[in-house]
Amino acid sequence: MPPTPRIRTVEGSCWGCKQRRVICDLAVPTCGKCAKIGRRCDYGTVRLRWTDCVASRGRLAGKKIPLYQPPALQRSQDQHLLYFENELLPRLNLSNTVPRIDLSFLSRDPILSQSVIAVANAHQTYAYQSSDENSAVARIQDRNNALRVFRKHLMAAHNDEVNHSLFIANVLLCILDGMLGPTTENSAAAAHHHLVGGKAILKHWEGGQDIFDQTEELPILMLSIFTTMDLTHSLLIGDEPYLDQPSWARFGNCEAWWGNVKSDDDFLQTMGILANLATLGHGVRHFSNTVPIDTLLAIQTSLDEQANQLTVDDETHGSVERSAWAAFCSVYRFTASVYLYRALSGLDVDHHLVQQAVSSCMEVISSPALPSQLQHCILFPLLVVGTLCMEENQRVTIRRSIERTSAYLSFESLRSLTLFLEGRWKMLDQENEAYRKSDWWSYFEDIALATCLF
């Protein structure tokens, strides 16, 4: 007599795995087996059964609903909105919390829903390493649908609500092309145009001032992400950033990607200084301006005073959280110093001031004072400082930091960041004098347009 077949299901399995009697990994919102074959994953306690398009159980009992729904709409309502809220958004803010958003509102807004579908599908495909042809086709279709809907509404008449949706969708498209997907010549150009378009939307929309005045968290989160990507992008290509130095204080007491801080917080002050540096860099790059030495010294003094104040505060009101935040701010502050030395002062890669800033920054990155959660949000400093690392132990630290961050963020663009760093280190090891004396803009030319990092 043959043995009784062993049932391989586990308690709490999704309905698909229960029906097939296979082991479910219980991942939410979609388990691994359902994600692999593109099947809808359902963990509901009651499974609806449909008869002639009518639900026989549950809250939809008696309602006649078509059996077929367009794939994009079904993915939006059944999977991607939840994935966007619970899987992607926590990776886009430092506190790892989910902003309060109205999923029902997103599902009714065609501009936002299509963009959410596109970014959620792209991230899920890469995070779960779904490389089959169907996944690739769906990802491309979702992106094209999002662009089509975005452009259609962009060319039509807008009210404030549509402007909100257009701006958020534009940020999502920038994330899609600048972070989630592989870095190619086409994606780099697209990400750059999304940033330019975002600036245009904000200027046409009187600067988006009403975003700061509302209580919804998603718009302010998207605005903080956009202005940070715009700032880092501007620093690399020599463009003027959208926000000037004083405007960064407006993010005080807002739910931004770096958390809710006061308007005079050290991080906002550092971002303001970086905005000032980017504006000066625009003049240097495009108009061959020479920044007066007094201006450079004043900026360096501001950075030094900020560092000293952080040290005093840490000694006076020391705590693990305070030390971690001070370390996080200092990484961006050292990056500002590197930009001041390289882009505005024209110092060589191996100049002692440049290497001193690099060494100081690397000490912070490798120290336990900077926890992993904060390290996930220093990609731009890792790029700037990492390309200047002359010592192998520094490079090992950079590699490890990017590996940990890649495993958490699941952004495909980090592969391009790693390849760029390895290429720059190879050139440094060749001790090519012309290369070491190359200016800031030439040094980052190969990755500048494609970089949307923070």
Side-chain angles (χ1 to χ4, degrees):
M1 181 176 179
T4 302
R6 181 167 58 94
I7 298 176
R8 304 175 61 199
T9 56
V10 295
E11 185 177 356
S13 297
C14 70
W15 284 104
C17 291
K18 286 180 181 178
Q19 184 176 14
R20 297 175 64 211
R21 294 196 172 189
V22 295
I23 295 177
C24 180
D25 60 16
L26 306 181
V28 291
T30 301
C31 74
K33 287 187 169 57
C34 289
K36 186 175 182 180
I37 63 176
R39 180 182 59 213
R40 177 183 174 183
C41 191
D42 182 10
Y43 285 98
T45 56
V46 176
R47 194 177 192 186
L48 288 176
R49 297 184 182 275
W50 301 90
T51 304
D52 190 26
C53 307
V54 178
S56 60
R57 301 183 66 181
R59 63 184 178 84
L60 299 179
K63 292 188 177 180
K64 194 174 184 67
I65 299 175
L67 289 174
Y68 172 79
Q69 292 184 6
L73 179 60
Q74 184 176 349
R75 286 197 300 271
S76 170
Q77 293 179 344
D78 295 344
Q79 177 183 1
H80 289 310
L81 283 176
L82 290 174
Y83 186 90
F84 175 75
E85 180 184 34
N86 297 314
E87 293 289 334
L88 184 55
L89 279 183
R91 290 169 166 85
L92 293 174
N93 68 89
L94 190 148
S95 61
N96 197 27
T97 57
V98 179
R100 294 191 303 271
I101 59 176
D102 186 349
L103 290 181
S104 62
F105 171 76
L106 288 184
S107 66
R108 294 192 304 271
D109 189 318
I111 307 173
L112 292 181
S113 61
Q114 291 296 330
S115 298
V116 168
I117 289 171
V119 298
N121 192 18
H123 187 269
Q124 187 176 24
T125 299
Y126 181 62
Y128 291 94
Q129 299 180 351
S130 303
S131 57
D132 59 280
E133 184 177 349
N134 291 335
S135 297
V137 171
R139 188 173 67 248
I140 294 172
Q141 288 178 340
D142 288 340
R143 180 183 182 275
N144 291 340
N145 287 337
L147 285 171
R148 175 180 53 79
V149 173
F150 176 81
R151 290 166 179 165
K152 174 184 175 181
H153 286 82
L154 184 65
M155 301 303 295
H158 322 153
N159 53 30
D160 284 343
E161 184 175 334
V162 173
N163 278 328
H164 270 245
S165 298
L166 285 171
F167 175 72
I168 295 174
N170 181 81
V171 179
L172 293 173
L173 290 171
C174 190
I175 292 172
L176 176 64
D177 290 324
M179 292 184 183
L180 302 184
T183 301
T184 64
E185 186 175 347
N186 290 335
S187 67
H192 174 72
H193 288 306
H194 293 324
L195 287 170
V196 174
K199 289 183 182 181
I201 292 173
L202 287 173
K203 289 179 180 178
H204 177 73
W205 186 21
E206 298 180 354
Q209 175 57 44
D210 59 335
I211 290 182
F212 290 99
D213 299 331
Q214 61 181 294
T215 58
E216 294 183 32
E217 294 182 2
L218 185 60
I220 196 70
L221 173 64
M222 291 293 111
L223 180 63
S224 67
I225 290 174
F226 175 81
T227 51
T228 306
M229 290 192 299
D230 169 66
L231 174 57
T232 57
H233 191 69
S234 297
L235 288 164
L236 292 177
I237 69 173
D239 202 359
E240 285 189 287
Y242 173 72
L243 287 185
D244 58 12
Q245 182 170 4
S247 297
W248 280 91
R250 294 161 63 188
F251 279 109
N253 302 313
C254 293
E255 297 297 333
W257 70 259
W258 53 80
N260 192 323
V261 300
K262 296 180 179 179
S263 59
D264 61 348
D265 185 83
D266 301 304
F267 182 73
L268 293 181
Q269 290 184 12
T270 300
M271 298 302 279
I273 292 174
L274 282 168
N276 185 29
L277 291 172
T279 302
L280 294 173
H282 173 69
V284 173
R285 176 77 192 278
H286 296 286
F287 304 104
S288 301
N289 292 348
T290 300
V291 182
I293 187 65
D294 291 346
T295 301
L296 297 174
L297 290 175
I299 296 174
Q300 186 59 59
T301 299
S302 296
L303 292 171
D304 292 341
E305 290 177 349
Q306 185 181 358
N308 293 334
Q309 184 59 46
L310 277 171
T311 302
V312 171
D313 290 345
D314 193 34
E315 292 176 351
T316 305
H317 309 287
S319 67
V320 175
E321 292 79 8
R322 178 63 186 173
S323 297
W325 187 247
F328 176 71
C329 294
S330 67
V331 171
Y332 275 87
R333 188 176 66 253
F334 288 126
T335 304
S337 294
V338 170
Y339 184 90
L340 186 149
Y341 297 145
R342 292 278 290 122
L344 303 186
S345 304
L347 301 184
D348 298 340
V349 171
D350 51 4
H351 192 281
H352 75 277
L353 287 177
V354 174
Q355 287 302 315
Q356 182 180 11
V358 170
S359 297
S360 298
C361 189
M362 291 306 303
E363 288 179 5
V364 178
I365 293 174
S366 60
S367 72
L370 190 67
S372 296
Q373 187 60 37
L374 297 181
Q375 290 210 16
H376 299 327
C377 296
I378 59 169
L379 294 178
F380 180 70
L382 286 178
L383 168 65
V384 172
V385 175
T387 56
L388 305 172
C389 288
M390 310 285 281
E391 301 175 7
E392 182 59 27
N393 64 319
Q394 295 176 334
R395 297 173 184 178
V396 170
T397 299
I398 294 290
R399 290 189 188 101
R400 289 174 178 171
S401 180
I402 293 178
E403 287 174 1
R404 289 193 298 267
T405 298
S406 296
Y408 171 72
L409 294 181
S410 295
F411 292 172
E412 196 165 357
S413 61
L414 294 184
R415 290 181 180 178
S416 301
L417 172 59
T418 301
L419 291 174
F420 179 79
L421 290 173
E422 295 291 348
R424 287 296 173 268
W425 292 336
K426 183 177 180 180
M427 295 292 291
L428 287 177
D429 291 342
Q430 293 177 357
E431 298 185 358
N432 186 312
E433 185 176 355
Y435 179 76
R436 294 192 178 203
K437 291 182 178 298
S438 61
D439 62 22
W440 172 274
W441 323 110
S442 300
Y443 203 75
F444 290 101
E445 184 176 11
D446 293 341
I447 200 173
L449 284 177
T451 302
C452 296
L453 301 173
F454 59 89

